[in-house]
Amino acid sequence: MTATPSLVSQLEDHVAAELDQRIQAALEACVPQDVDCPDRLRDAIAHSLLAPGKRLRPRLVLMACQACGGSIEAALPAACAVELVHTYSLIHDDLPAMDDDDLRRGRPSCHAAFGEATAILAGDALLAMAFELLATQIQPAEAGLSCCAALARTAGPTGLVGGQQADLEAEQTPGGLAELEAIHRRKTGEMLRVCLRLGGLVAAASPAQLASLDAYGRPLGLAFQIVDDLLDWQGQAHVLGKKTQKDAERGKLTFPSLLGVDESQRRAQELIATAQRALEPLGPAATSLRQLAQFVLDRNR
Ligand code: GRG
């Protein structure tokens, strides 16, 4: 027997669906239409960007902005910018020189569909487009500048790119829990934190509000990665839309391989509870962020 969803959960689903529609429409509008963008490059960008991802990062931007009293409308360019950077990183991560994956978001990965050279260029284009959006679409201009600086730092050599390099090197010389956490902090955690910061900056959040968002983002990022490892360990490729058990095949360090499944699950639960407590100073305006943390824990893809 299936339980009837409560009115509250139906309303929550409705709000989440509306947010997702706005994100999808805004991302569609990001696909370059100018004749100077070659058709094949445009198709490769659209193929990866509009594929059915979970849109966790743009949702974090929008919800953080709302939690600090800002509007969805004002934060949409920043929401798109983080998804553009995320999509670039996925395209490049899937390349034969990196993780060599043919499946992403339930579709052939970008290089599998368009060839390696076009996939590299599509990733490069997405990265540039993200900063153009922040520099031109965020008001006031000072907030746009702060967003550019924060996202550039997160995407750069001490963030996403550095984490990826450390991850590649760890395949040759695996370390322990501290090394694993340091890789994921740069590859995943910092990206989730910057989403919250961008949302806060657009809303002109106070230092105290920004600190609450950050205290939420740190444990959320680590919990996200633990759940990601558990899904790779136990999940099903057709649900995840990407290959599973890849980490084990490549002899990669993961949370379940280091801590076991039960302890990994316990840690993820604890981290999510910590993240949710950090939202208390933001009051009811942060309800959607609280629910999103639960989604990160319960997700199956
Ligand atoms: C190539 C510079 C460069 C960086 C690559 C993001 C990344 C770094 C690699 C992706 C591989 C990976 C498994 C990373 C850790 C977890 C992660 C970021 C998973 C993908 O994010 P989701 O689950 O993806 O939010 P969707 O498709 O739902 O957006």
Side-chain angles (χ1 to χ4, degrees), residues 14 20 53 137 163 174 300:
H14 174 75
D20 284 352
Q137 305 293 315
N300 64 355

Side-chain angles (χ1 to χ4, degrees), residues 69-141:
S71 75
I72 296 285
E73 201 58 37
L76 268 172
C80 290
V82 297
E83 190 67 10
L84 293 171
V85 171
H86 173 56
T87 307
Y88 128 78
S89 78
L90 297 179
I91 293 175
H92 281 198
D93 184 64
D94 288 337
L95 288 168
M98 302 244 185
D99 242 20
D100 195 9
D101 249 313
D102 285 348
L103 186 66
R104 173 66 67 181
R105 293 177 163 174
R107 296 183 174 183
S109 52
C110 196
H111 71 271
F114 293 91
E116 257 186 86
T118 301
I120 293 170
L121 294 171
D124 294 343
L126 285 162
L127 185 61
M129 286 156 58
F131 290 100
E132 184 183 2
L133 260 185
L134 292 177
T136 59
Q137 305 293 315
I138 302 288
Q139 296 299 331

